[in-house]
Amino acid sequence: MKSGQTVRAVRVGRREEILRIAMETFATRGYHHASLAEIADRVGLTQAGLLHHFRSKTALLSGVLALRDESDIEQLGTERPRGLAFLDHLVDTARHNAEREGIVRLYAVLSAESVTDGHPAQGYFRERYRGLRAMVAEALVEAAELGELRREFEVESVAAAIVAVMDGLQVQWLLDPGAVDMAESTRRAVRVLLADLRSH
């Protein structure tokens, strides 16, 4: 008979496997076109067995998005860089993303789908974009305080443009990876966006 600890380990392992397969399926087919039956079949479960681990398709989507966030948090580390060093970190993020197509595709597909009425991930992406813009804006303010940028400019507008550049480059890279260098294009775009904001 398996011990309670062994049973829990098996259950956690199965949940992680389900999330990985669901992530691949949502990234390939989108949330609305992916079915629980399809995901269950790929994992080797019945649909009822899948629902034992995740009570609904929405709960499964939430688990997938949380798994994606954990990956981003691990990459950032315990303390984010300050000022323009944070923007250098964004270039590193773009370089790292080129090595994890599945996660990039998931983000691109679900973020685009989330603008439709009633999409279960709409609130998640609305808050995520708010958080991303705020994080970049905070780094820009720090850069001004450190003397790296001039002090008066439209911080929120520049932050939104930087986030937009990164997302747009991800889509172009997914469609034609051989033609788009995400890291280099991100570096160049950020440099252009900040060209007239640098302190002299």
Side-chain angles (χ1 to χ4, degrees), residues 125-192:
F125 280 103
R126 182 183 295 113
E127 291 307 311
R128 180 168 182 80
Y129 276 115
R130 284 176 181 164
L132 288 171
R133 292 193 302 270
M135 192 178 295
V136 175
E138 184 178 359
L140 292 171
V141 170
E142 290 169 354
E145 292 172 346
L146 292 168
E148 297 172 329
L149 299 177
R150 59 182 171 83
R151 285 190 170 273
E152 293 186 8
F153 60 92
E154 293 291 334
V155 174
E156 289 77 12
S157 176
V158 176
I162 290 172
V163 173
V165 162
M166 294 190 70
D167 275 15
L169 285 170
Q170 286 188 161
V171 173
Q172 292 184 58
W173 175 77
L174 287 167
L175 292 170
D176 195 358
V180 178
D181 183 330
M182 281 200 293
E184 177 60 18
S185 296
T186 298
R187 186 186 68 79
R188 286 181 175 274
V190 169
R191 188 172 64 183
V192 169

Side-chain angles (χ1 to χ4, degrees), residues 4-119:
Q5 189 173 6
T6 302
V7 170
R8 282 193 297 275
V10 169
R11 187 178 298 130
V12 169
R14 178 47 65 95
R15 280 177 61 89
E16 290 177 351
E17 181 184 9
I18 292 169
L19 287 172
R20 188 175 67 254
I21 294 297
M23 179 179 288
E24 294 172 2
T25 308
F26 288 151
T28 303
R29 299 174 57 77
Y31 175 80
H32 291 300
H33 292 290
S35 70
L36 287 178
E38 175 186 3
I39 294 168
D41 184 62
R42 291 186 61 192
V43 178
L45 292 171
T46 63
Q47 187 167 329
L50 176 62
L51 291 172
H52 175 72
H53 294 276
F54 295 92
R55 67 183 182 281
S56 66
K57 188 178 178 182
T58 302
L60 182 57
L61 176 62
S62 297
V64 165
L65 293 173
L67 182 63
R68 184 206 179 283
D69 283 348
E70 287 174 13
S71 175
D72 280 357
I73 290 169
E74 287 175 5
Q75 182 193 352
L76 183 59
T78 57
E79 186 174 341
R80 73 162 180 81
R82 299 183 71 245
L84 293 186
F86 179 72
L87 301 186
D88 292 335
H89 166 75
L90 295 182
V91 175
D92 292 338
T93 297
R95 184 175 294 108
H96 178 62
N97 282 346
E99 301 171 357
R100 51 178 197 167
E101 180 182 348
I103 289 179
V104 173
R105 187 178 303 279
L106 174 81
Y107 185 88
V109 169
L110 293 182
S111 62
E113 276 191 344
S114 73
V115 304
T116 58
D117 291 342
H119 195 284

